[in-house]
C-alpha cells in the first residue's frame, strides 16, 4: 500500500536568525513557532499521515524548513545542495532519515545547487524553479536523476520569490495554483488557476479533497471551498516571517511501499 509518511524537523532554538531575502525582517517568536509547528504536525497526523522527526539540526536556523533538503521521486531521494551556504549542514540528517525509510539515495554535486522548495511534482511532471537557490547545473542533475525513472522535468524561471513553490503548487486534480504577481511565466503551467493571495498558492494535499493551507489566505480558502475542496487551516505566522510556507515544513512520502 502507498505510504502516508511525512518527514518533519523540530525548529532550531536559533530559528529567529533564519534567512530573509525577499521580505523585511520581522521579529520571530520562537516559542510561538514551536507551538505552531506542533499544531502543523498534529494536522498531518489527524489526516492519516505518520510524522517522522528528522534528527534536529539546532545549529542551522532554517532547518525546520525540511522540504528544502531533499526531493523524493518514486523511491529515489535526491539530496539537495542548498544554494544558501548556511543551509548546507541540514542535509546529513535528512539523508539518514530517507535512507532509513528504504529510499535509494542520490546527491546534487558541486557546482550544482538545488533546494526542494524549487521542485513541484504534478503527477510525472516535475517543475523545477531556476532562481536564487537552484542553478542550471542543479536543474541538469535533477533531470539526470529523475528522467530515467519516467519524470518529465520542466524548468521554470523564478525571480520574484524565494522558491518556485513560494508562488505555485497544485490541486489534487493537477491544476496548478499560483499568485500571478509573484510568478515569472504563468503560461508555462498548462491548466492554471490564479489565486488572490500569495500564501493561498501554497497547498499541501492531505488526501481526498482536503488541502492544508495557511490562515493568512482566507480569500483563497473560500475560493477552494467553492470549488469543492475542504481547506484545513493552520497558523504559521512565525514561519511566514522567514519566507516559509505550509509546503516547506514537511516532506510527504507517498510512493514508498511499506
Ligand atoms: N521551501 C520553502 O519555502 N522554504 C522556506 C525557506 C525559508 C528560509 N528562511 C530560507 O530563506 O531558506
Amino acid at each position: 500500500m502507498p505510504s502516508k509518511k511525512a518527514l518533519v524537523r523540530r525548529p532550531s532554538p536559533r530559528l529567529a536568525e533564519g534567512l530573509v531575502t525577499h521580505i523585511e525582517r520581522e521579529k520571530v517568536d520562537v516559542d510561538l513557532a514551536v507551538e505552531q509547528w506542533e499544531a502543523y504536525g498534529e494536522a498531518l497526523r489527524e489526516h492519516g499521515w505518520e510524522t517522522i522527526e528528522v534528527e534536529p539540526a539546532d545549529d542551522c536556523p532554517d532547518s525546520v524548513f525540511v522540504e528544502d533538503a531533499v526531493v523524493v521521486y518514486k523511491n529515489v531521494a535526491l539530496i539537495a545542495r542548498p544554494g544558501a551556504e548556511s543551509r548546507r549542514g541540514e542535509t546529513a540528517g535528512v539523508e539518514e532519515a530517507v535512507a532509513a525509510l528504504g529510499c535509494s539515495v542520490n546527491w546534487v554535486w558541486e557546482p550544482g545547487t538545488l533546494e526542494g522548495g524549487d521542485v513541484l511534482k504534478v503527477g510525472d511532471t516535475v517543475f523545477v524553479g531556476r532562481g536564487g537557490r537552484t542553478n542550471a547545473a542543479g536543474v541538469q542533475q535533477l533531470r539526470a536523476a529523475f528522467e530515467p525513472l519516467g519524470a518529465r522535468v520542466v524548468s521554470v524561471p523564478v525571480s520574484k520569490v524565494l522558491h518556485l513553490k513560494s508562488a505555485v503548487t497544485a490541486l489534487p486534480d493537477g491544476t496548478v495554483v499560483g499568485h500571478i504577481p509573484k510568478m515569472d511565466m504563468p503560461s508555462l503551467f498548462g491548466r492554471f488557476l490564479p489565486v488572490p493571495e500569495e500564501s493561498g498558492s501554497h497547498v499541501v494535499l492531505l488526501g481526498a479533497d482536503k488541502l492544508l493551507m495557511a490562515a493568512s489566505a482566507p480569500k483563497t480558502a473560500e475560493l477552494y471551498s467553492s470549488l469543492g475542496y475542504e481547506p484545513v487551516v493552520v497558523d504559521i505566522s512565525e514561519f511566514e516571517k522567514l519566507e516559509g510556507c505550509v509546503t516547506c515544513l514537511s516532506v510527504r512520502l507517498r510512493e514508498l511501499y511499506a
Side-chain angles (χ1 to χ4, degrees), residues 18-21 62 65 67-68 87 115-117 133 162-163 166 242-245 247-248:
L19 297 171
V20 168
T21 311
D62 283 307
F65 304 116
E67 165 189 75
D68 293 324
R87 301 200 58 189
E115 296 189 1
R133 298 285 179 85
L162 183 62
H163 291 123
S166 311
L242 295 166
E243 290 178 277
C245 43
T247 53
C248 58

Side-chain angles (χ1 to χ4, degrees), residues 2-3 11 29 47 66 83 89-90 149 158 161 170 176 185 187 199 203 216 219 224 236 246-247 250 256 258:
S3 60
D29 178 337
H47 292 89
V66 65
E90 296 176 25
L149 306 176
V158 172
V161 280
V176 171
M185 276 186 211
S187 60
S199 60
V203 294
S216 54
K219 290 189 194 129
Y224 293 147
I236 54 159
V246 280
T247 53
S250 61
L256 298 180

Side-chain angles (χ1 to χ4, degrees), residues 182-212:
K182 298 292 177 183
M183 297 175 72
D184 286 55
M185 276 186 211
S187 60
L188 284 174
F189 292 98
R191 197 165 67 242
F192 174 73
L193 175 71
V195 299
E197 294 142 321
E198 181 176 349
S199 60
S201 65
H202 314 142
V203 294
V204 170
L205 310 186
L206 290 173
D209 294 330
K210 297 200 167 65
L211 308 176
L212 184 68

Side-chain angles (χ1 to χ4, degrees), residues 208-232:
D209 294 330
K210 297 200 167 65
L211 308 176
L212 184 68
M213 59 181 294
S216 54
K219 290 189 194 129
T220 314
E222 259 177 50
L223 171 64
Y224 293 147
S225 296
S226 77
L227 295 173
Y229 293 105
E230 192 182 322
V232 173

